[in-house]
Amino acid sequence: MRWVFVITLILCVSYASEVSQIFDFWTNLFRPVPRNPKEGFVPDYTPKYLEQFDFIIIGAGSAGCVLANRLTEEHDWKVLLLEAGGNENFFSDVPIFAPFLSLTPLNWGYNSEPEQKACRDLRGNVCFMPRGKVLGGSSVLNFLIYQRGHPEDYNDWARMGNEGWSYSEILPYFKKSENIQINELKNSSYHGRGGYLDIDYASYSSPLQTAFKDAGEELGFEWNDPNGENVIGFSKPQATIRKGRRCSTSKAFLEPVRFRQNLKVSKYSTVLKILIDPYTKKAYGVDFFKGNKRRRVIARREVILSAGTIGSAQILMLSGVGPADHLSEMGIKTLADLPVGYNLQDHVTFSGNAFIVNDSKLCVNDLTAASPLAAAAYLAGRGPLTIPGGATGLAFARTSYAADLSEGRPDMELVMGAGSLAGDLLGILRSLLGVTDKWYWKVYGSLPPEVRQRTFSMNPVLIRPRSVGRLMLRSANFSDHPRIHPNYFHHPDDLRALREGVRLVEKVISTKAFQRFATRIHNVPFPGCEHYKFDSDDYWECAIMQTSITLDHQVGTCKMGPAGDRTAVVSPRLLVHGVQGLRIADASIIPRIPASHTLAPVVMIAEKAADLIKKDWARYPFY
Ligand SMILES: Cc1cc2nc3c(=O)[nH]c(=O)nc-3n(C[C@H](O)[C@H](O)[C@H](O)COP(=O)(O)OP(=O)(O)OC[C@H]3O[C@@H](n4cnc5c(N)ncnc54)[C@H](O)[C@@H]3O)c2cc1C
Ligand SMILES: *[C@@H]1O[C@H](CO)[C@@H](O)[C@H](O)[C@H]1NC(C)=O
Ligand SMILES: *[C@@H]1O[C@H](CO)[C@@H](O)[C@H](O)[C@H]1NC(C)=O
Ligand SMILES: *[C@@H]1O[C@H](CO)[C@@H](O)[C@H](O)[C@H]1NC(C)=O
């Protein structure tokens, strides 16, 4: 039963993605009704050899789709958008399927190098690092949660010398992109109406959500809008959802403008390098691969790199922009010696715990999600399949490691899942986390299937990590995935803070609100940690290193900072230091990771980047 289901799903998505390369048009038929009239199939365009464009955007991901839309608002700017992947499909639209998309060809399939203190035991200390390879990029693979972070996160960016990036200066861009659908937030001065990106709640709320709210109140937390005045508090997740379906940046920003004459989108186009004149240091074009042919296009004004934290850093280094010592090791001539690949930051979460309740109607696990009833509700935009990545509650709080942060700034997040790893009868979550069947049966096998279905999860997320990683090339060949060293828990406080997060979860679970369902933790110890006393501090530290996974919030490999900052790759106007005509706009420019999920910040960055570009070229209209 389990494998039949998993294999069928994988075949369906693979088929939809593969067919999309051969018969681009047909995959659109996988898209469901009713369709928003603004949505629709993005036509594929193959540029001619040496064809010229004003702007060439690399990567139609979360940021790239926003830029393509905003730059083509200028009618006389001819824009080319290059994307390695193809179209979204019916399955990637279903919010609760999010974890499963990482197993399909919509994922680039990057892995970390073996880690010392994370992802232990599961698969040779290697952490999966999914990234979207599709129009919409990682906004198609992600868990849909829309979260911006704390105002001081951005004031910190400004304090690092990044003029124009303080909270009051970037809030207008969050609002500009947003089309808030949540009634009680429509009048909030923190939210925008009439933007392209729909933000909504899942239309399904489980009784567990009420318990979560009550538990928060019992512990003295307010039930709030964490994108509003106060971040700390308990809340229902806001998500990039349109009528119960995923609202990727492609659906939001690209599809409504797909017929603009000055916008060309070339799909299945893998960029190999940016062409930079070695004497003038000006970026003038892009080499890419499409249909087994190497191709070249020319940029009259700018090349804009939006290939994401991994892609942008890799392409830059392959183009000769990066740390000189590392590039010469790889046999690449250095055109600009910049610290590309350093400053890699990410959020990890401890995701192995399951909490058992005494009523199966409270949780959403495989069997509920796979039922025909749920499928029927989904087609009407409702039901459990609309839960964003399975998350039904968010909480932001402070641990004792937040002492260096001003009041009101959180360093810990809790994400409550409607189901848990224990309820993963079909094996999808297991595959995402990299948990082996052996591990699963050892930990959860003692529970009858009926009990495994009435479990949920509550995962602490380390949102102010102190550890920093690095990304390097493996070779000068684009096909070789880069070497990624996230260094999770390298700083000992990170492990301790996350352990405090586990304790906070225990507090929430022991409230009256959760005890109404006789909620208890499943207390079989994780393999490799049996020698510690269950629930001791040492036990949790061991368990955290054993099963923590990334929330896929990698940022920072092309750090933004002012001229003179030797750790910076791009300026506060997002121009690559020492190179002309080359800008970066995506998660890679983030100097310090916000205490938040990263999609909303990336969309904001792209909105601001578009305005910076418009202003710069209005001032210098000749090229
Ligand atoms: C599984 C998962 C879950 C997540 N959950 C959440 C969440 O719930 N909430 C949240 O806010 N954030 C979440 N995130 C993080 C968030 O989605 C990312 O931070 C954000 O989408 C990154 O945007 P980006 O524009 O930097 O990169 P991307 O969106 O990844 O875009 C990069 C694009 O460039 C393309 N590209 C790369 N290299 C090349 C090349 N050489 N040639 C051509 N094209 C190329 C890629 O195919 C891709 O389309 C999640 C991410 C993942 C993967
Ligand atoms: C929002 O404000 C308008 C005008 O002030 C008012 O008519 C409307 O009822 C308000 N809506 C909500 C949900 O508060
Ligand atoms: C790059 O790597 C791919 C896959 O490993 C290989 O097929 C290709 O020949 C390599 N290219 C070069 C120029 O070595
Ligand atoms: C669940 O447990 C609570 C508290 O022990 C009890 O009051 C309630 O009746 C139980 N519900 C079910 C369905 O067993």
PDB file of all heavy atoms in Angstrom, residues 567-590:
ATOM      1  N   THR A 567      33.803  41.669   3.596  1.00  0.00           N
ATOM      2  CA  THR A 567      32.993  40.450   3.596  1.00  0.00           C
ATOM      3  C   THR A 567      31.848  40.539   2.583  1.00  0.00           C
ATOM      4  O   THR A 567      31.064  39.608   2.449  1.00  0.00           O
ATOM      5  CB  THR A 567      32.383  40.200   4.990  1.00  0.00           C
ATOM      6  OG1 THR A 567      31.447  41.253   5.281  1.00  0.00           O
ATOM      7  CG2 THR A 567      33.448  40.152   6.068  1.00  0.00           C
ATOM      8  N   ALA A 568      31.761  41.665   1.877  1.00  0.00           N
ATOM      9  CA  ALA A 568      30.596  41.892   1.012  1.00  0.00           C
ATOM     10  C   ALA A 568      30.882  41.573  -0.448  1.00  0.00           C
ATOM     11  O   ALA A 568      31.991  41.788  -0.950  1.00  0.00           O
ATOM     12  CB  ALA A 568      30.131  43.329   1.131  1.00  0.00           C
ATOM     13  N   VAL A 569      29.858  41.074  -1.138  1.00  0.00           N
ATOM     14  CA  VAL A 569      29.944  40.766  -2.563  1.00  0.00           C
ATOM     15  C   VAL A 569      29.186  41.808  -3.383  1.00  0.00           C
ATOM     16  O   VAL A 569      29.635  42.230  -4.433  1.00  0.00           O
ATOM     17  CB  VAL A 569      29.406  39.342  -2.847  1.00  0.00           C
ATOM     18  CG1 VAL A 569      29.362  39.060  -4.346  1.00  0.00           C
ATOM     19  CG2 VAL A 569      30.253  38.298  -2.123  1.00  0.00           C
ATOM     20  N   VAL A 570      27.996  42.217  -2.883  1.00  0.00           N
ATOM     21  CA  VAL A 570      27.239  43.247  -3.606  1.00  0.00           C
ATOM     22  C   VAL A 570      27.065  44.482  -2.729  1.00  0.00           C
ATOM     23  O   VAL A 570      27.111  44.405  -1.504  1.00  0.00           O
ATOM     24  CB  VAL A 570      25.839  42.753  -4.057  1.00  0.00           C
ATOM     25  CG1 VAL A 570      25.953  41.619  -5.045  1.00  0.00           C
ATOM     26  CG2 VAL A 570      24.969  42.359  -2.863  1.00  0.00           C
ATOM     27  N   SER A 571      26.846  45.608  -3.397  1.00  0.00           N
ATOM     28  CA  SER A 571      26.635  46.878  -2.712  1.00  0.00           C
ATOM     29  C   SER A 571      25.185  46.967  -2.241  1.00  0.00           C
ATOM     30  O   SER A 571      24.361  46.149  -2.635  1.00  0.00           O
ATOM     31  CB  SER A 571      26.921  48.019  -3.681  1.00  0.00           C
ATOM     32  OG  SER A 571      25.856  48.095  -4.624  1.00  0.00           O
ATOM     33  N   PRO A 572      24.866  47.969  -1.431  1.00  0.00           N
ATOM     34  CA  PRO A 572      23.459  48.142  -1.037  1.00  0.00           C
ATOM     35  C   PRO A 572      22.539  48.420  -2.229  1.00  0.00           C
ATOM     36  O   PRO A 572      21.329  48.342  -2.087  1.00  0.00           O
ATOM     37  CB  PRO A 572      23.510  49.337  -0.075  1.00  0.00           C
ATOM     38  CG  PRO A 572      24.904  49.332   0.462  1.00  0.00           C
ATOM     39  CD  PRO A 572      25.756  48.839  -0.655  1.00  0.00           C
ATOM     40  N   ARG A 573      23.093  48.732  -3.409  1.00  0.00           N
ATOM     41  CA  ARG A 573      22.264  48.819  -4.613  1.00  0.00           C
ATOM     42  C   ARG A 573      22.294  47.496  -5.369  1.00  0.00           C
ATOM     43  O   ARG A 573      21.873  47.419  -6.515  1.00  0.00           O
ATOM     44  CB  ARG A 573      22.717  49.962  -5.515  1.00  0.00           C
ATOM     45  CG  ARG A 573      22.679  51.329  -4.824  1.00  0.00           C
ATOM     46  CD  ARG A 573      22.825  52.481  -5.791  1.00  0.00           C
ATOM     47  NE  ARG A 573      21.593  52.743  -6.519  1.00  0.00           N
ATOM     48  CZ  ARG A 573      20.539  53.394  -6.006  1.00  0.00           C
ATOM     49  NH1 ARG A 573      20.581  53.849  -4.783  1.00  0.00           N
ATOM     50  NH2 ARG A 573      19.461  53.584  -6.728  1.00  0.00           N
ATOM     51  N   LEU A 574      22.863  46.481  -4.737  1.00  0.00           N
ATOM     52  CA  LEU A 574      22.890  45.093  -5.232  1.00  0.00           C
ATOM     53  C   LEU A 574      23.796  44.886  -6.443  1.00  0.00           C
ATOM     54  O   LEU A 574      23.698  43.876  -7.140  1.00  0.00           O
ATOM     55  CB  LEU A 574      21.472  44.587  -5.530  1.00  0.00           C
ATOM     56  CG  LEU A 574      20.494  44.685  -4.344  1.00  0.00           C
ATOM     57  CD1 LEU A 574      19.123  44.144  -4.733  1.00  0.00           C
ATOM     58  CD2 LEU A 574      21.027  43.938  -3.132  1.00  0.00           C
ATOM     59  N   LEU A 575      24.676  45.866  -6.705  1.00  0.00           N
ATOM     60  CA  LEU A 575      25.650  45.720  -7.789  1.00  0.00           C
ATOM     61  C   LEU A 575      26.869  44.972  -7.266  1.00  0.00           C
ATOM     62  O   LEU A 575      27.341  45.247  -6.159  1.00  0.00           O
ATOM     63  CB  LEU A 575      26.064  47.102  -8.297  1.00  0.00           C
ATOM     64  CG  LEU A 575      24.965  47.844  -9.082  1.00  0.00           C
ATOM     65  CD1 LEU A 575      25.215  49.342  -9.092  1.00  0.00           C
ATOM     66  CD2 LEU A 575      24.877  47.292 -10.511  1.00  0.00           C
ATOM     67  N   VAL A 576      27.387  44.042  -8.068  1.00  0.00           N
ATOM     68  CA  VAL A 576      28.562  43.284  -7.652  1.00  0.00           C
ATOM     69  C   VAL A 576      29.758  44.233  -7.587  1.00  0.00           C
ATOM     70  O   VAL A 576      30.047  44.941  -8.558  1.00  0.00           O
ATOM     71  CB  VAL A 576      28.830  42.118  -8.631  1.00  0.00           C
ATOM     72  CG1 VAL A 576      30.126  41.409  -8.280  1.00  0.00           C
ATOM     73  CG2 VAL A 576      27.658  41.149  -8.614  1.00  0.00           C
ATOM     74  N   HIS A 577      30.421  44.257  -6.442  1.00  0.00           N
ATOM     75  CA  HIS A 577      31.572  45.146  -6.257  1.00  0.00           C
ATOM     76  C   HIS A 577      32.641  44.856  -7.309  1.00  0.00           C
ATOM     77  O   HIS A 577      33.011  43.700  -7.516  1.00  0.00           O
ATOM     78  CB  HIS A 577      32.194  44.943  -4.866  1.00  0.00           C
ATOM     79  CG  HIS A 577      31.357  45.510  -3.746  1.00  0.00           C
ATOM     80  ND1 HIS A 577      30.991  46.836  -3.684  1.00  0.00           N
ATOM     81  CD2 HIS A 577      30.822  44.930  -2.644  1.00  0.00           C
ATOM     82  CE1 HIS A 577      30.272  47.059  -2.588  1.00  0.00           C
ATOM     83  NE2 HIS A 577      30.145  45.903  -1.937  1.00  0.00           N
ATOM     84  N   GLY A 578      33.123  45.893  -7.957  1.00  0.00           N
ATOM     85  CA  GLY A 578      34.241  45.738  -8.888  1.00  0.00           C
ATOM     86  C   GLY A 578      33.848  45.213 -10.259  1.00  0.00           C
ATOM     87  O   GLY A 578      34.714  44.980 -11.098  1.00  0.00           O
ATOM     88  N   VAL A 579      32.564  44.971 -10.493  1.00  0.00           N
ATOM     89  CA  VAL A 579      32.105  44.524 -11.811  1.00  0.00           C
ATOM     90  C   VAL A 579      31.003  45.491 -12.233  1.00  0.00           C
ATOM     91  O   VAL A 579      30.247  45.971 -11.394  1.00  0.00           O
ATOM     92  CB  VAL A 579      31.551  43.077 -11.755  1.00  0.00           C
ATOM     93  CG1 VAL A 579      31.070  42.616 -13.129  1.00  0.00           C
ATOM     94  CG2 VAL A 579      32.600  42.116 -11.210  1.00  0.00           C
ATOM     95  N   GLN A 580      30.912  45.771 -13.521  1.00  0.00           N
ATOM     96  CA  GLN A 580      29.839  46.658 -13.983  1.00  0.00           C
ATOM     97  C   GLN A 580      28.739  45.853 -14.652  1.00  0.00           C
ATOM     98  O   GLN A 580      28.996  44.815 -15.250  1.00  0.00           O
ATOM     99  CB  GLN A 580      30.383  47.653 -14.990  1.00  0.00           C
ATOM    100  CG  GLN A 580      31.210  48.756 -14.371  1.00  0.00           C
ATOM    101  CD  GLN A 580      31.876  49.571 -15.457  1.00  0.00           C
ATOM    102  OE1 GLN A 580      31.233  49.973 -16.415  1.00  0.00           O
ATOM    103  NE2 GLN A 580      33.171  49.770 -15.305  1.00  0.00           N
ATOM    104  N   GLY A 581      27.526  46.368 -14.559  1.00  0.00           N
ATOM    105  CA  GLY A 581      26.407  45.754 -15.281  1.00  0.00           C
ATOM    106  C   GLY A 581      25.999  44.410 -14.726  1.00  0.00           C
ATOM    107  O   GLY A 581      25.395  43.606 -15.435  1.00  0.00           O
ATOM    108  N   LEU A 582      26.328  44.131 -13.482  1.00  0.00           N
ATOM    109  CA  LEU A 582      25.953  42.845 -12.894  1.00  0.00           C
ATOM    110  C   LEU A 582      25.364  43.069 -11.504  1.00  0.00           C
ATOM    111  O   LEU A 582      26.005  43.643 -10.623  1.00  0.00           O
ATOM    112  CB  LEU A 582      27.177  41.928 -12.802  1.00  0.00           C
ATOM    113  CG  LEU A 582      26.946  40.533 -12.197  1.00  0.00           C
ATOM    114  CD1 LEU A 582      25.886  39.766 -12.976  1.00  0.00           C
ATOM    115  CD2 LEU A 582      28.246  39.736 -12.170  1.00  0.00           C
ATOM    116  N   ARG A 583      24.121  42.614 -11.359  1.00  0.00           N
ATOM    117  CA  ARG A 583      23.428  42.787 -10.092  1.00  0.00           C
ATOM    118  C   ARG A 583      22.962  41.425  -9.592  1.00  0.00           C
ATOM    119  O   ARG A 583      22.740  40.515 -10.391  1.00  0.00           O
ATOM    120  CB  ARG A 583      22.210  43.684 -10.303  1.00  0.00           C
ATOM    121  CG  ARG A 583      22.111  44.847  -9.330  1.00  0.00           C
ATOM    122  CD  ARG A 583      20.881  45.668  -9.609  1.00  0.00           C
ATOM    123  NE  ARG A 583      21.106  46.748 -10.545  1.00  0.00           N
ATOM    124  CZ  ARG A 583      21.176  48.034 -10.204  1.00  0.00           C
ATOM    125  NH1 ARG A 583      21.029  48.399  -8.958  1.00  0.00           N
ATOM    126  NH2 ARG A 583      21.368  48.971 -11.109  1.00  0.00           N
ATOM    127  N   ILE A 584      22.793  41.302  -8.286  1.00  0.00           N
ATOM    128  CA  ILE A 584      22.241  40.064  -7.729  1.00  0.00           C
ATOM    129  C   ILE A 584      20.998  40.429  -6.920  1.00  0.00           C
ATOM    130  O   ILE A 584      21.007  41.387  -6.136  1.00  0.00           O
ATOM    131  CB  ILE A 584      23.246  39.335  -6.816  1.00  0.00           C
ATOM    132  CG1 ILE A 584      24.575  39.137  -7.547  1.00  0.00           C
ATOM    133  CG2 ILE A 584      22.686  37.978  -6.381  1.00  0.00           C
ATOM    134  CD1 ILE A 584      25.616  38.383  -6.765  1.00  0.00           C
ATOM    135  N   ALA A 585      19.932  39.686  -7.131  1.00  0.00           N
ATOM    136  CA  ALA A 585      18.727  39.900  -6.328  1.00  0.00           C
ATOM    137  C   ALA A 585      18.107  38.552  -6.035  1.00  0.00           C
ATOM    138  O   ALA A 585      17.469  37.941  -6.899  1.00  0.00           O
ATOM    139  CB  ALA A 585      17.737  40.794  -7.078  1.00  0.00           C
ATOM    140  N   ASP A 586      18.333  38.042  -4.856  1.00  0.00           N
ATOM    141  CA  ASP A 586      17.714  36.796  -4.382  1.00  0.00           C
ATOM    142  C   ASP A 586      18.159  36.578  -2.933  1.00  0.00           C
ATOM    143  O   ASP A 586      18.727  37.497  -2.314  1.00  0.00           O
ATOM    144  CB  ASP A 586      18.076  35.594  -5.281  1.00  0.00           C
ATOM    145  CG  ASP A 586      19.577  35.349  -5.364  1.00  0.00           C
ATOM    146  OD1 ASP A 586      20.304  35.749  -4.437  1.00  0.00           O
ATOM    147  OD2 ASP A 586      20.024  34.746  -6.362  1.00  0.00           O
ATOM    148  N   ALA A 587      17.953  35.391  -2.400  1.00  0.00           N
ATOM    149  CA  ALA A 587      18.256  35.142  -0.990  1.00  0.00           C
ATOM    150  C   ALA A 587      19.755  35.240  -0.693  1.00  0.00           C
ATOM    151  O   ALA A 587      20.152  35.397   0.462  1.00  0.00           O
ATOM    152  CB  ALA A 587      17.733  33.760  -0.588  1.00  0.00           C
ATOM    153  N   SER A 588      20.591  35.148  -1.728  1.00  0.00           N
ATOM    154  CA  SER A 588      22.032  35.111  -1.480  1.00  0.00           C
ATOM    155  C   SER A 588      22.579  36.435  -0.972  1.00  0.00           C
ATOM    156  O   SER A 588      23.653  36.468  -0.382  1.00  0.00           O
ATOM    157  CB  SER A 588      22.779  34.692  -2.749  1.00  0.00           C
ATOM    158  OG  SER A 588      22.715  35.709  -3.716  1.00  0.00           O
ATOM    159  N   ILE A 589      21.879  37.545  -1.184  1.00  0.00           N
ATOM    160  CA  ILE A 589      22.443  38.849  -0.788  1.00  0.00           C
ATOM    161  C   ILE A 589      22.183  39.168   0.683  1.00  0.00           C
ATOM    162  O   ILE A 589      22.722  40.127   1.223  1.00  0.00           O
ATOM    163  CB  ILE A 589      21.896  40.002  -1.666  1.00  0.00           C
ATOM    164  CG1 ILE A 589      20.394  40.214  -1.438  1.00  0.00           C
ATOM    165  CG2 ILE A 589      22.172  39.756  -3.131  1.00  0.00           C
ATOM    166  CD1 ILE A 589      20.078  41.432  -0.633  1.00  0.00           C
ATOM    167  N   ILE A 590      21.359  38.367   1.338  1.00  0.00           N
ATOM    168  CA  ILE A 590      20.969  38.650   2.725  1.00  0.00           C
ATOM    169  C   ILE A 590      22.204  38.632   3.634  1.00  0.00           C
ATOM    170  O   ILE A 590      22.895  37.626   3.723  1.00  0.00           O
ATOM    171  CB  ILE A 590      19.921  37.620   3.186  1.00  0.00           C
ATOM    172  CG1 ILE A 590      18.605  37.861   2.426  1.00  0.00           C
ATOM    173  CG2 ILE A 590      19.716  37.660   4.705  1.00  0.00           C
ATOM    174  CD1 ILE A 590      17.484  36.880   2.748  1.00  0.00           C
TER     175      ILE A 590
END
